Structures are given as structure tokens and as C-alpha cells.
Amino acid sequence: MASDILFTPYSLKGLDLPNRIVMAPMTRSFSPGGVATEEVAAYYRRRAENQVGLIITEGTGVNRPASVNDPNVPRFHGDAELAAWKKVVDEVHAVGGKIAPQLWHVGAVRTRSETWSPPGPYDSPSGLSRPGKAFGAPMTDAEVADAIRAFADAAAAAKAIGFDAIELHGAHGYLIDQFFWDGTNVREDAYGGKDLPGRARFAADILREVRKAVGPDYPVIIRVSQWKQQDYEVKLAKDPKALEAWMGALVDAGADCIHCSQRRFWEPEFEGSDLNFAGWTKKLTGVPTITVGSVGLSGEFIAAWGGELSQPASLDRLEAMLERGDFDLVGVGRALLQDPEWVVKVREGRHDELKAYDRSALATLY
Ligand code: PHB
């Protein structure tokens, strides 16, 4: 049986959640022309109906020409795009769910389509897609300001159409993370610099503008990771002191909750303690954190992209960490992509009905 802790309610800045389970954002690319379809709404509704505490949507592009790398990723600006998202929100709310969009800008990364390219130039801090690899031009001051505005506009739109919170995608080597990373941010202006708080200025400015747009009471989450899709071994913060300075800059700028992405949640972040990334971040900042990374599965997601099956795995360790207060909420990705009923099955102890994750699940939107 699942211990009770996963199924205790939690209030994130006044947003009442029935349990600690968060559907992690996962790119699905089922929104032709950037407009989420009825099937997308049904996909999220199905998870809400089956007791997911908080849904964080797939990344959705803010209003910059090259914010997405795939024409089938939903966009978060424009009348048709936002009307489609409102339909998603209404469907989720109709069955009692809660939902936040993940606001995304991919920055300098290749497109995923051979026949499509974005309608305008790539944005990035220094025209690098990875250390030493030129890709597009560094953003001008005006482009930086416009990107900050784009995130704030998206947050305002999210609130206006009824989303319960927003998440900024600041992880995995996409635009905001390209600013954090000294390998891709070699600017010498106020958005660059040798230390993490300096390179966090772009994220902090976004957070401050988002806060102005949504007001003091609306939950604002930011997702961060040490690892990059360009390099899985990077650790931006090599010790707790560096992590405190980095996360402190985000909290000071208005983040209410930090979503700490790891490939495997059970791995300690620094030597000498078994706290993971979310555990350290909560300890150092005092703000609520979400852990994520292979929850409920035996194998991590990079290997899964390569075709490796991930088997259902015990939640004992996760529950012990949650019970100890290491973090507040738990992101579940692939297990929920594979099986919309995952939460109900865990709650009811139906462990023999839990499914292995197979990347073929990506081909359909059930
Ligand atoms: C992906 O589409 O595979 C993807 C997108 C965003 C992430 C990670 C992976 O943060």
C-alpha cells in the first residue's frame, strides 16, 4: 500500500492540492500549428479525472519568433492558441483538477523538424548552442527585454484564462538555462558574468515582471536543473554555497516554488548528505520544492528515449524522503504519460496493474 504521505493535501500559496502528485511537463507535439486540440484537452482531463494533484502542461511557447523548435508544440500567445488553452483549463476544472502551463522558450537549439524552421531568428545569450558551438547571434538588449516581456505577457494570459499557477521552464539547457550556464552565456553585460547570481539576472528579471503581471498571490513556479540536454554531467552549482546563491536570486525575484529536475530523484546532490537537488534547494531557501526524475520507474528518461523499457519501481524511498520533509511535491512524468490511472492505482495499492514505460507511448495521446 502507498503510505499516506503522498496523499496528504498541500497548499501552494493558497492553491489547495488534494495530494502531492504533480504531472511533470512532457513535450507531446500534438498541437498542429501551435494550437492545442480537443485531444490535448482530453489527455489532460483524463489525468485530472484520475486524481493527479496538479498538472503542469507540456512546454508552450512564449511570444518570440523562435520560442519553439517544433511546429506541433502548442504556443501560448494569439487568440486561437489561448482559446485552445482555455478549453484545456475548462476541461481540467470540470473534473476538479488544477493546472499550470509550462511557459517555454527553447533558445538556441536545433528544430525537431526537417521541413520547418522558426519564422524569426534564434534567441540565446551568446549565440552558442553548447560550449564552443556557434548557433545564431547573441540577443541584443532589445531582444532580451522583449523576451522578458513575452514571459510576463504569457503569465498574465495564463491567469486571465483561468490557469491555477504558472511554471517557467528554466531547465535542461533551454533559453533561461542557457543564461544560467557559463558554457553558453559569455556575455559581459548585466545578463552575464562569472557567478550564478549574475547569470540568473535574466530569470530574475522575468520573475519580477511575471510577478507584476500576476500579482502577489498567484503561485509562480520555476523549473531548474543542473544537467543540460547538451551535457548530462554539468553541475552549475558545485556546492551548497553556490546553489544557495543561485536559488536565492530566484526566490528574491519572486519564485514561490522551485521544481528541481534530476534524472534520478534518489541521487544525492552533494557529497556528505543524502539530500537530493530538491532537498538541498528547500533546505537552503526555505521555499517549497518539487522533486522529479524517474519517479515510479526503474530506468531514467534519456535511456528510455533510446528505447530502454522502464519497469514500475517501489515508491518507498520517495515516500521516506517526502515524509522527512526533503521536498513538498513530487513530479511524475513517464509513468503518467504511459498510464493516466497511475495515481489511482498507487493510491489503491494496485501495484500489479502498474505499467512499464515504453517509448511507443509517445506515438499516441491517450
Ligand atoms: C523533449 O521534448 O524531449 C524535452 C523537452 C523539454 C525538456 C526535456 C525534454 O525539458
Side-chain angles (χ1 to χ4, degrees):
M1 279 297 288
S3 78
D4 293 339
I5 184 74
L6 268 173
F7 294 95
T8 53
Y10 186 74
S11 176
L12 179 63
K13 200 172 189 174
L15 174 62
D16 290 326
L17 305 175
N19 60 49
R20 306 304 183 97
I21 298 165
V22 174
M23 180 175 177
M26 287 173 285
T27 300
R28 299 310 315 271
S29 304
F30 281 93
S31 299
V35 181
T37 61
E38 303 253 331
E39 288 74 28
V40 171
Y43 163 81
Y44 288 117
R45 178 186 173 122
R46 208 170 282 127
R47 272 83 189 157
E49 262 164 5
N50 284 289
Q51 301 180 14
V52 170
L54 173 65
I55 292 168
I56 302 179
T57 72
E58 63 205 289
T60 170
V62 300
N63 190 7
R64 287 286 302 163
S67 65
V68 298
N69 57 345
D70 175 335
N72 298 316
V73 161
R75 302 195 64 116
F76 211 82
H77 57 93
D79 292 345
E81 291 82 351
L82 292 173
W85 275 121
K86 181 168 188 317
K87 170 99 177 129
V88 173
V89 174
D90 291 347
E91 291 276 323
V92 165
H93 284 171
V95 293
K98 306 280 191 224
I99 183 164
Q102 191 197 45
L103 305 179
W104 195 20
H105 189 318
V106 298
V109 299
R110 259 198 307 273
T111 60
R112 288 154 59 113
S113 160
E114 276 159 26
T115 54
W116 176 88
S117 44
Y122 295 101
D123 287 332
S124 71
S126 300
L128 296 169
S129 59
R130 55 173 65 231
K133 176 108 172 53
F135 192 104
M139 291 166 86
T140 63
D141 289 351
E143 287 167 337
V144 169
D146 195 58
I148 293 167
R149 181 225 26 97
F151 277 102
D153 286 354
K159 187 176 179 193
I161 61 180
F163 277 101
D164 300 288
I166 61 116
E167 174 169 286
L168 300 171
H169 193 340
H172 303 169
Y174 294 109
L175 182 65
I176 293 175
D177 203 20
Q178 287 165 18
F179 275 85
F180 290 143
W181 188 13
D182 59 357
T184 46
N185 181 354
V186 296
R187 294 176 81 96
E188 289 177 357
D189 65 3
Y191 291 99
K194 296 221 178 311
D195 61 0
L196 270 165
R199 297 192 306 274
R201 160 88 184 268
F202 179 62
D205 280 7
I206 292 171
L207 281 161
R208 277 187 283 266
E209 289 305 311
V210 162
R211 179 59 68 203
K212 276 191 221 155
V214 298
D217 302 326
Y218 194 72
V220 174
I221 306 166
I222 184 166
R223 195 177 218 214
V224 294
S225 64
Q226 299 257 43
W227 68 272
K228 316 294 160 217
Q229 62 184 305
Q230 298 91 333
D231 183 345
Y232 303 139
E233 304 308 323
V234 170
K235 264 193 194 289
L236 293 188
K238 298 195 174 39
D239 54 41
K241 193 160 163 273
L243 184 63
E244 185 171 18
W246 177 20
M247 295 300 123
L250 306 181
V251 172
D252 288 347
D256 298 309
C257 176
I258 315 243
H259 188 174
C260 298
S261 171
Q262 273 182 271
R263 289 168 63 199
R264 308 169 187 87
F265 79 85
W266 56 87
E267 290 181 348
E269 192 54 44
F270 302 117
E271 271 178 33
S273 159
D274 62 357
L275 287 176
N276 74 359
F277 187 34
W280 272 107
T281 298
K282 182 173 177 188
K283 178 185 160 98
L284 293 169
T285 63
V287 305
T289 59
I290 308 173
T291 196
V292 68
S294 306
V295 170
L297 293 173
S298 60
E300 58 76 58
F301 84 104
I302 306 290
W305 279 340
E308 188 180 288
L309 276 190
S310 295
Q311 298 300 333
S314 161
L315 297 172
D316 291 354
R317 178 83 184 276
L318 176 85
E319 287 163 345
M321 292 164 86
L322 185 59
E323 188 91 54
R324 193 168 72 170
D326 290 11
F327 36 75
D328 304 282
L329 296 165
V330 174
V332 180
R334 286 169 294 140
L336 265 172
L337 189 158
Q338 183 80 42
D339 185 359
E341 293 178 54
W342 186 86
V343 178
V344 176
K345 289 179 182 174
V346 167
R347 182 172 195 169
E348 295 177 356
R350 289 154 55 196
H351 292 163
D352 51 342
E353 294 176 49
L354 295 175
K355 297 180 180 171
Y357 174 79
D358 178 340
R359 71 172 173 185
S360 65
L362 289 170
T364 57
L365 193 68
Y366 178 66

